[in-house]
Amino acid sequence: MLIDTHCHLDASEFAGASLAIADAAAGAGVSGIVLPAVHKNNFAAVTGLAHQHPACFYALGIHPMYVAVSQEQDLVFLREQVAQRLQAGCEDRRLVAIGEIGLDYFVPELTQSPLREKQKFFYTEQLKIARDFDLPVLLHVRRSLDIILKYLRRFPVTGGIAHAFNGSIQQAESLIALNFRLGFGGAMTFTRALQIRRLAAGLPLESIVLETDAPDIPPSWLQDQHNSPEQLPHIARVLAELRGLSVHEIAAATTRNAFAVLPRMMIPASLAG
């Protein structure tokens, strides 16, 4: 059993084939797929997919690259949606995290005022929502890890996943100390990605989860094609090779790690095998 902890199955690139792709992934052994939201306008899409396919779960949040087109009222809407979905008596078990949230200092315009400050505001307000509802977070981190960590310490949450991790050993250790797991996916499959491969090979196995970020970050064998959750078993094989373990050991460990950090996930017995 494998868990894809980060997959944008609702993306337009999948052109209405999302459920068929989830079926194919489940057939390949991917028993859980986490669908992060990126903007209030796709809250309904990720929720709908999660309720249409037994392997799918979702997170609600506002991605830093969508902060420019978001309003402060959207944070109020997010809080209201989370409260409604966690209401006693009608709790939605498919909601497993707040995400995708974070800071992006790779895109030049996002590093300048006022978007730099607006990103920080949206990030910290969403950390507060996660804290208040005792939910983990799915973090988007590009050239911003030290600031991400600064605010995690200021507004502590129950834990989460640093998606597409590409930091230093010291930053990894800081995240692990805060009950975070580190997401590895397609980037790890490129032989030239020396730092990511060193991290994947050397970090404690209990700190690692697998992801695709589909349709983005395709593995080396897909070239410029769209990524898909069906690729996760092959990505797991690369991690197994890097660590000198069997694919079965990698699948068991990373699935255990995903359940530990996303405790609301409940995989149906028919998919668990």
Side-chain angles (χ1 to χ4, degrees), residues 90-148:
C90 55
E91 183 179 7
D92 186 354
R93 293 294 305 185
R94 296 270 150 186
L95 173 61
V96 296
I98 298 296
E100 177 176 358
I101 70 172
L103 297 170
D104 193 307
Y105 294 156
F106 175 78
V107 178
E109 55 265 33
L110 295 180
T111 69
Q112 306 300 316
S113 295
L115 288 182
R116 187 179 183 94
E117 292 75 23
K118 190 176 181 183
Q119 278 198 78
K120 287 182 185 177
F121 176 73
F122 270 71
Y123 171 50
T124 56
E125 289 303 304
Q126 290 182 97
L127 286 179
K128 293 175 187 177
I129 293 171
R131 177 197 63 190
D132 293 348
F133 289 98
D134 198 28
L135 288 171
V137 297
L138 306 180
L139 289 178
H140 174 98
V141 183
R142 285 207 296 184
R143 296 187 181 174
S144 58
L145 249 171
D146 288 336
I147 303 174
I148 286 281

Side-chain angles (χ1 to χ4, degrees), residues 3 11 38 66 72 83 109 136 143 156 183 187 246 267:
I3 306 295
V38 296
Y66 285 80
E72 195 168 329
E109 55 265 33
R143 296 187 181 174
S246 70
I267 303 296

Side-chain angles (χ1 to χ4, degrees), residues 13-271:
E13 288 88 341
F14 293 125
S18 300
L19 293 176
I21 291 168
D23 279 340
V30 182
S31 301
I33 304 172
V34 180
L35 316 177
V38 296
H39 183 264
K40 69 170 185 178
N41 289 349
N42 84 320
F43 287 5
V46 296
T47 303
L49 282 172
H51 282 275
Q52 290 175 71
H53 198 282
C56 292
F57 301 84
Y58 71 98
L60 294 181
I62 299 170
H63 192 293
M65 293 181 69
Y66 285 80
V67 163
V69 294
S70 298
Q71 308 301 321
E72 195 168 329
Q73 185 63 29
D74 298 344
L75 293 166
V76 176
F77 178 68
L78 171 61
R79 180 177 286 274
E80 291 171 347
Q81 286 293 301
V82 173
Q84 177 182 320
R85 294 158 194 248
L86 296 183
Q87 187 175 350
C90 55
E91 183 179 7
D92 186 354
R93 293 294 305 185
R94 296 270 150 186
L95 173 61
V96 296
I98 298 296
E100 177 176 358
I101 70 172
L103 297 170
D104 193 307
Y105 294 156
F106 175 78
V107 178
E109 55 265 33
L110 295 180
T111 69
Q112 306 300 316
S113 295
L115 288 182
R116 187 179 183 94
E117 292 75 23
K118 190 176 181 183
Q119 278 198 78
K120 287 182 185 177
F121 176 73
F122 270 71
Y123 171 50
T124 56
E125 289 303 304
Q126 290 182 97
L127 286 179
K128 293 175 187 177
I129 293 171
R131 177 197 63 190
D132 293 348
F133 289 98
D134 198 28
L135 288 171
V137 297
L138 306 180
L139 289 178
H140 174 98
V141 183
R142 285 207 296 184
R143 296 187 181 174
S144 58
L145 249 171
D146 288 336
I147 303 174
I148 286 281
L149 284 163
K150 170 186 173 180
Y151 288 111
L152 280 175
R153 295 184 182 107
R154 188 173 297 178
F155 305 104
V157 296
T158 187
I161 296 171
H163 148 61
F165 183 75
N166 186 18
S168 68
I169 289 289
Q170 293 75 20
Q171 289 167 330
E173 290 171 346
S174 295
L175 282 165
I176 292 166
L178 294 171
N179 195 34
F180 275 75
R181 271 62 172 185
L182 312 174
F184 289 87
M188 173 184 63
T189 67
F190 289 86
T191 56
R192 66 179 182 271
L194 299 179
Q195 171 66 358
I196 293 175
R197 288 165 73 89
R198 278 193 292 267
L199 290 164
L203 287 171
L205 184 55
E206 60 268 22
S207 70
I208 291 175
V209 293
L210 292 173
E211 61 174 56
T212 61
D213 197 29
D216 298 322
I217 317 185
S220 58
W221 52 85
L222 285 186
Q223 300 291 331
D224 296 324
Q225 301 175 59
H226 296 315
N227 199 1
S228 162
E230 295 173 73
Q231 300 302 319
L232 199 67
H234 308 296
I235 292 170
R237 188 171 297 112
V238 172
L239 181 59
E241 292 168 357
L242 288 172
R243 298 191 70 99
L245 297 172
S246 70
V247 176
H248 175 78
E249 289 172 306
I250 289 296
T254 57
T255 295
R256 184 167 57 248
N257 299 341
F259 285 152
V261 77
L262 301 173
R264 292 176 57 82
M265 287 187 72
M266 298 179 65
I267 303 296
S270 59
L271 292 177

